[in-house]
Amino acid sequence: MEHRLAEPEHRWTGQVALTGDRLVALAECSWDPADPGTGTLAVNVAEAWRSGALGYRVLHELVGRCVRLGITTFDLDYAASNIALQSAIDAIATETGVRYTLSGVTRAGIGHLTVRAEH
């Protein structure tokens, strides 16, 4: 995996996974400079790579970087059928030692989740 850290004045950072020269996964976080503690997360994994833990790995790396940048609240939209998301967040919290509170809603098969790191 390749890493590119965001500078404090930037509003985006991401984590990619490559196989050879092909991009197979991308996790990204964007935030408004007026609210630098809250970011929106997105994870995209190529269809052929979805059965493994690649989405979890890029999300784990990205969340760790975001917490180090001072982002402590994350918003995620996801397919409500994605039961692995809750497990991934729980595992990331355990591995990083950062506890989170979760709140969310699901409508028409789309879930919206807000994850807040506890201090």
Side-chain angles (χ1 to χ4, degrees):
M1 291 193 194
E2 295 183 6
H3 301 276
R4 179 173 96 41
L5 297 177
E7 298 297 323
E9 67 271 16
H10 292 174
R11 299 179 301 165
W12 183 94
T13 189
Q15 177 67 46
V16 300
L18 305 170
T19 181
D21 62 351
R22 298 181 76 191
L23 177 67
V24 295
L26 166 67
E28 60 182 332
C29 180
S30 59
W31 61 93
D32 182 341
D35 185 14
T38 300
T40 300
L41 295 177
V43 179
N44 294 287
V45 179
E47 185 70 35
W49 292 84
R50 288 192 180 163
S51 63
L54 194 54
Y56 166 78
R57 289 174 54 204
V58 293
L59 182 61
H60 182 279
E61 290 294 321
L62 180 63
V63 167
R65 179 176 314 129
C66 288
V67 169
R68 288 188 300 275
L69 289 171
I71 300 170
T72 58
T73 301
F74 304 98
D75 292 316
L76 301 105
D77 290 327
Y78 62 97
S81 61
N82 184 351
I83 59 174
L85 180 62
Q86 178 70 47
S87 297
I89 292 170
D90 290 343
I92 290 168
T94 299
E95 292 175 16
T96 61
V98 177
R99 294 179 42 139
Y100 296 96
T101 57
L102 307 173
S103 60
V105 297
T106 303
R107 291 192 183 99
I110 301 296
H112 175 78
L113 183 66
T114 298
V115 180
R116 288 181 181 83
E118 296 178 1
H119 298 290

